[in-house]
Amino acid sequence: MHRLLTGSLKVETVTVEILGLPDELQNTQIVQLSDFHYDGKCLSDELLMEAIARSNEYQPDAVMLTGDFVTDDPAPIHALALQLKQLQSRCGVYAVLGNHDYYVAGADAEITAALSAIGIQVLVNDVAYPFGPALPVVGLADMWSGQFYPHSVMNQLDAATPRLVLSHQPDSAVPLQRWRVDLQLSGHTHGGQIVLPRLGPLPAWGRKIRRRIPSAIRRHIPYFRRECYKVIRHWNWAQGLHSVGANTLYVNRGLGTYFPGRLMCPPEITVITLAKGRR
């Protein structure tokens, strides 16, 4: 995707308070990257290398990758993995898959194998402990994959234990309200790509008026096609930090970009600092 359509990379910094965070994990720093869609069209190598370099500048304690490594064909994952191998962190790199990583039969296995081969731990309804037992990291299968079984892992954790959750789709925050989620990291939305002042993401706005446009016309208009407006139900969670009941959700705008590009919605890497919560 041409830089004019992609936009310039932006580093978002956010501090998240976690109740019960151990003193030794105060100021733990995490970098989140999401939605690469590495297929030769949706993400330039220049932007990818810039994002990796910026991540490394922060010398994070951990890097979290929240899915959609490819668009459909899994073959590009091998070239992408060579780039992601350059990511540096003290406690490792952790990943979950997104809906696009399941589109082709067997793609999820190929992507998982390629990432695992370079030392990235892919979590599919599993838990890792990069920061020790006091702050587990849960990684879930994509909500549309048919393998989304949060209960299989969330029920293993003590309710008194803080935890981070990686889940590609922000809508998964709804069923996850059954459990404690101190911070859920998601992507999927690309932030809406085009964000209108006061109206919000164009796909959400377009969904409200698409039925007034004849179907023969709207199928040719970006963001008015059926597959676009169904990306997410909760467009109010398209980007940034949100409270979902007692839980906290952060949605990264991603790096990959579909036509017609981004407007007032730059591609993003997120630097998250964890702080001890106070009642």
Side-chain angles (χ1 to χ4, degrees):
M1 183 67 69
H2 191 277
R3 191 176 185 89
L4 180 62
L5 297 179
T6 302
S8 298
L9 180 68
K10 185 174 181 181
V11 178
E12 301 286 2
T13 59
V14 60
T15 298
V16 176
E17 292 190 352
I18 294 181
L19 192 65
L21 185 73
D23 291 339
E24 63 270 21
L25 295 181
Q26 177 79 0
N27 297 321
T28 292
Q29 198 167 76
I30 296 167
V31 165
Q32 181 192 7
L33 301 172
S34 195
D35 294 82
F36 301 88
H37 292 280
Y38 194 76
D39 60 1
K41 298 177 290 186
C42 296
L43 173 63
S44 69
D45 284 325
E46 291 77 14
L47 178 58
L48 174 61
M49 290 187 291
E50 181 185 1
I52 292 171
R54 295 300 301 274
S55 176
N56 291 343
E57 286 175 6
Y58 281 89
Q59 300 181 326
D61 294 294
V63 176
M64 307 296 178
L65 311 178
T66 47
D68 278 2
F69 293 92
V70 301
T71 300
D72 39 50
D73 179 9
I77 188 59
H78 303 285
L80 175 60
L82 292 177
Q83 301 274 31
L84 296 178
K85 190 175 181 179
Q86 302 175 61
L87 285 168
Q88 301 169 10
S89 67
R90 184 176 64 85
C91 299
V93 182
Y94 299 83
V96 291
L97 302 185
N99 56 300
H100 282 265
D101 301 320
Y102 292 88
Y103 275 0
V104 174
D108 56 324
E110 184 173 354
I111 293 166
T112 298
L115 296 177
S116 299
I118 61 166
I120 294 176
Q121 186 170 349
V122 181
L123 301 173
V124 182
N125 301 323
D126 203 357
V127 60
Y129 295 91
F131 311 114
L135 186 65
V137 175
V138 173
L140 301 175
D142 182 71
M143 195 176 180
W144 293 348
S145 69
Q147 302 174 30
F148 180 71
Y149 303 125
H151 58 277
S152 66
V153 58
M154 298 295 279
N155 288 341
Q156 299 176 26
L157 301 177
D158 189 318
T161 302
R163 77 287 308 264
L164 309 180
V165 175
L166 311 183
S167 183
H168 177 68
Q169 299 203 35
D171 279 344
S172 64
V174 175
L176 287 174
Q177 289 182 91
R178 291 177 52 190
W179 299 278
R180 173 177 180 168
V181 178
D182 296 86
L183 176 60
Q184 174 180 334
L185 298 181
S186 297
H188 184 61
T189 64
H190 300 194
Q193 287 199 176
I194 295 178
V195 178
L196 306 177
R198 291 191 246 184
L199 292 175
L202 181 58
W205 178 69
R207 181 166 59 181
K208 297 176 182 177
I209 66 170
R210 67 182 301 275
R211 292 182 180 178
R212 303 177 188 176
I213 301 172
S215 59
I217 296 175
R218 68 186 181 222
R219 70 168 64 107
H220 300 291
I221 305 175
Y223 296 112
F224 283 80
R225 303 185 188 105
R226 181 178 177 84
E227 66 269 20
C228 292
Y229 85 88
K230 291 184 69 177
V231 166
I232 183 176
R233 293 190 63 184
H234 296 85
W235 275 106
N236 52 312
W237 300 341
Q239 57 179 288
L241 195 64
H242 306 275
S243 294
V244 183
N247 296 338
T248 300
L249 166 69
Y250 188 87
V251 183
N252 178 294
R253 294 187 299 270
L255 296 175
T257 303
Y258 287 123
F259 183 82
R262 294 177 182 258
L263 178 65
M264 291 181 281
C265 187
E268 170 184 356
I269 76 167
T270 316
V271 180
I272 301 160
T273 301
L274 305 183
K276 196 164 187 175
R278 298 179 296 275
R279 283 196 181 276

